[in-house]
Amino acid sequence: MVRGGWMMKKFILCLFLLLLTSCQSVDETKVDTYLFYAMDTKISIQFYNVEDSKEICDEIEKIYLKYDSVANDYQSGLGDINVYDLNDIRKIKIGDELKELIQFSLEMKEDTNGYFNPFIGKLTHAWKEALGEGKLLSDDVIKAYLNEALNTTITFDEHMVELIGNGNLDLGGIAKGYATYRAEQYLKEINCEHFLLNAGSSNIVLGSKLGEPFKVGLSQAYGNQYFSILNILNTCVSTSSVKEQHYLVDGQYYSHIINAKTGYPANLYDTFSIIGDHSGKLDAYSTACFCMELKDAKKFLNEKKLKFICSKDNQLYDQTEGLKHA
Amino acid sequence: MHKFRNDIILISIVLLVSVVSLILFFTLSQKEDLNVYIYKDQELVYNAPLSEDYDLKIDQVHIVIENQYVYVVRSDCKDQVCVHQGKINRAGQTIACLPNKISIRLEGKQVDVGI
């Protein structure tokens, strides 16, 4: 009896010590954070226990700078023949990156049934200028630019390309997503698994946080709270949002995203995020879905087996069933 | 009988201390301790808890940390996006002044990245 009591005391003492020692938080994770600027965006990368992270970041920066240079439609002379040059000269020899980007944009035009249209360059520029001055475009101007876009095509002869029609090319809706896709491919090639790549919030690629999911906060467009927090890993998220990119004209907010079907700024949602693989496609799809009615967007994404979450009036509006929230 | 009673008291005390320790540990570990990271170009120029009020100027960008918020009061940039972003106080939130290449980021446990 005495021996049993003594054993019990020892057991409880051990349990007590175990509980106390378990309270010590041991965190030896090495987190390396880098950031750089490209495509009018701040791009940040966090690596978790990854060797040579600086070299990896440098390679990723090169990818973004390359696509930044070729996709620019506001300025010439950035070292590569770019979209501005093509819009200006109409027939020109281009490099590999611009060629693949244009071909990808044509694929996305087809894939989204024209909700993403790379030939609405004149319309997007005209809207940006008008909204920046607090004005709206007239119906006639919109119709004219839209017709030009719908009647423009592009031909390829090896690296020689020609814009046929009066529309201008605008790859702004996919360039960052495509560059992010290339960065994602590079990270896969070198077997880098524990990272978080954030290209200006609109395109993010997530590995895992040493096996654990990331908590991704979805921001309100007109507030500073999160309307939802997702628990996800090993995936990409692309978001089209009016946050910080809306204009107030005559008491009404207008988005910077132009509906390629109607020619007007899209106003159905505050934010539309799509979760899946391939940042380039997700970028085009989020732009397209931002312009679709909800039932059409859901049908479109359901066919592609992609998950989504969208907000309106600063609140969760709809989402795919089964999304994991924190 | 007396010994048995002492054992019960000892067990109770030990269990009570253990439970209180665990509750305290989990409560404190859930508490959001936010840190402010400010970068100029690619260089980290400021890193401190959000609870520490501070006022700093980097180039022509005036940043204020006060009352558990961080925000840009003034900037010489053309678009003023950084100023219009207002006050932030949640993990994962950022403010960026692209023309001046200044980035402010809040880091905490609740959210890894805000989009």
Side-chain angles (χ1 to χ4, degrees), chain B residues 56-63 72 74-75 97 100 102:
Chain B
L56 74 158
K57 252 188 166 186
I58 305 170
D59 295 339
Q60 292 304 308
V61 180
H62 184 184
I63 302 161
V72 175
R74 207 172 295 109
S75 168
C97 181
N100 285 299
I102 289 170

Side-chain angles (χ1 to χ4, degrees), chain B residues 62-78:
Chain B
H62 184 184
I63 302 161
V64 170
I65 301 163
E66 64 176 6
N67 302 328
Q68 301 275 348
Y69 283 93
V70 56
Y71 57 99
V72 175
V73 186
R74 207 172 295 109
S75 168
D76 64 343
C77 63
K78 192 183 164 193

Side-chain angles (χ1 to χ4, degrees), chain A residues 236-251:
Chain A
C236 310
V237 185
S238 181
T239 302
S240 287
S241 168
V242 298
K243 189 174 175 68
E244 295 152 24
Q245 296 192 76
H246 53 265
Y247 302 85
L248 189 61
V249 181
D250 299 333

Side-chain angles (χ1 to χ4, degrees), chain A residues 63 66-67 69-71 79-83 92-105 156-161 171 178 182:
Chain A
I63 294 170
K66 188 70 180 176
Y67 285 100
S69 163
V70 300
D80 296 285
I81 297 296
N82 62 17
V83 174
I92 196 166
K93 196 173 181 181
I94 61 173
D96 288 335
E97 287 83 4
L98 183 53
K99 187 182 174 187
E100 73 184 37
L101 198 52
I102 294 173
Q103 286 175 329
F104 178 70
S105 76
F156 293 87
D157 180 7
E158 296 292 324
H159 283 77
M160 184 63 78
V161 294
L171 302 178
Y178 193 78
R182 284 294 184 205

